[in-house]
Amino acid sequence: MFRPVTTGGAAAVFLAALFSPGTASADGVPPPDKIVIDVVSVNGSGCPAGTANVSVSPDNTAFTVSYSNYIAQVGVGAKPIDFRKNCQLSLNVHVPQGFTYAVARADYRGFAHLEKGATGLERANYYFQGMSQTAFVNHRFGGPVNDSWQTTDTTDIDALVYAPCGAMRYFNVNTELRVDAGTSDPTKTTSFLAMDSTDGSINTLYHFAWKECPKP
């Protein structure tokens, strides 16, 4: 499967748990009613309170998470613990009656400045309350680089995992950023990997797949 993130007073996010194929295709028409996503808890060095925000698209086909303080770094000006930052979100996704959902794709965006010899890692996994965690999906970066980055996680239609119809389980999203100085000189240089919204365009986009629940 793949991965995810967000924070703030109320927020939104995504994926799905166990459910046998229902009556509609994985790329079915989204429900007309509004989706509401509440953030139950937010923990992690990459998402202090008030530094992440989530918005749902008007057509209920996707949601976006933006960050303002999610950055891992090593070198000049960095603390020893700054090489790794993470964010764990617990979300309550209120889906219109008669529908269930999965997340078919996640697009992550950020900015990387890695000196020659330094490396970076962005990873994520997801699981529902009371269920086993999925394996992390990893994306690696190598220096030298000083540019925006984007990664995409996709799930095949026949492998989508849907939230159980008629059951409420919090959805948990774990994301992580890491930077390793490698062969670069951390006493003279700084390398970092960020996932934030300082320029208004760096964010994470999650794409929903919808399915109607079987009629009782």
Side-chain angles (χ1 to χ4, degrees):
M1 288 172 55
F2 66 79
R3 89 279 283 323
V5 206
T6 204
T7 90
V13 181
F14 64 88
L15 208 62
L18 283 169
F19 187 61
S20 56
T23 58
S25 64
D27 57 350
V29 177
D33 297 335
K34 181 181 179 181
I35 300 168
V36 177
I37 304 175
D38 297 325
V39 175
V40 179
S41 64
V42 179
N43 294 290
S45 55
C47 53
T51 64
N53 294 288
V54 180
S55 59
V56 180
S57 67
D59 60 1
N60 288 339
T61 61
F63 67 90
T64 301
V65 182
S66 298
Y67 303 91
S68 61
N69 192 28
Y70 200 166
I71 179 171
Q73 57 185 330
V74 294
V76 178
K79 300 176 182 177
I81 60 173
D82 287 345
F83 80 97
R84 174 184 178 273
K85 293 297 177 74
N86 75 297
C87 184
Q88 178 171 325
L89 306 173
S90 181
L91 307 163
N92 187 9
V93 183
H94 302 274
V95 178
Q97 186 174 5
F99 285 85
T100 184
Y101 70 99
V103 170
R105 173 176 153 186
D107 298 321
Y108 292 86
R109 296 182 178 89
F111 191 88
H113 175 83
L114 299 174
E115 297 290 333
K116 182 178 180 180
T119 59
L121 171 71
E122 177 267 321
R123 64 191 322 215
N125 77 337
Y126 324 80
Y127 64 97
F128 280 91
Q129 182 182 11
M131 302 180 67
S132 299
Q133 295 190 30
T134 61
F136 276 99
V137 176
N138 298 319
H139 296 278
R140 302 180 187 278
F141 307 86
V145 63
N146 185 47
D147 203 353
S148 298
W149 59 266
Q150 176 176 343
T151 62
T152 298
D153 299 327
T154 58
T155 304
D156 293 335
I157 289 179
D158 58 0
L160 287 171
V161 180
Y162 285 83
C165 286
M168 189 196 79
R169 288 188 182 146
Y170 296 146
F171 186 68
N172 299 293
V173 180
N174 293 299
T175 57
E176 182 178 319
L177 298 177
R178 293 192 186 193
V179 176
D180 189 322
T183 58
S184 67
D185 186 351
T187 67
K188 298 179 180 179
T189 63
T190 302
S191 293
F192 68 86
L193 187 64
M195 185 155 57
D196 60 35
S197 57
T198 53
D199 67 355
S201 64
I202 300 177
N203 51 40
T204 303
L205 182 65
Y206 299 91
H207 305 262
F208 287 112
W210 291 102
K211 181 158 55 179
E212 291 186 55
C213 292
K215 298 284 191 288

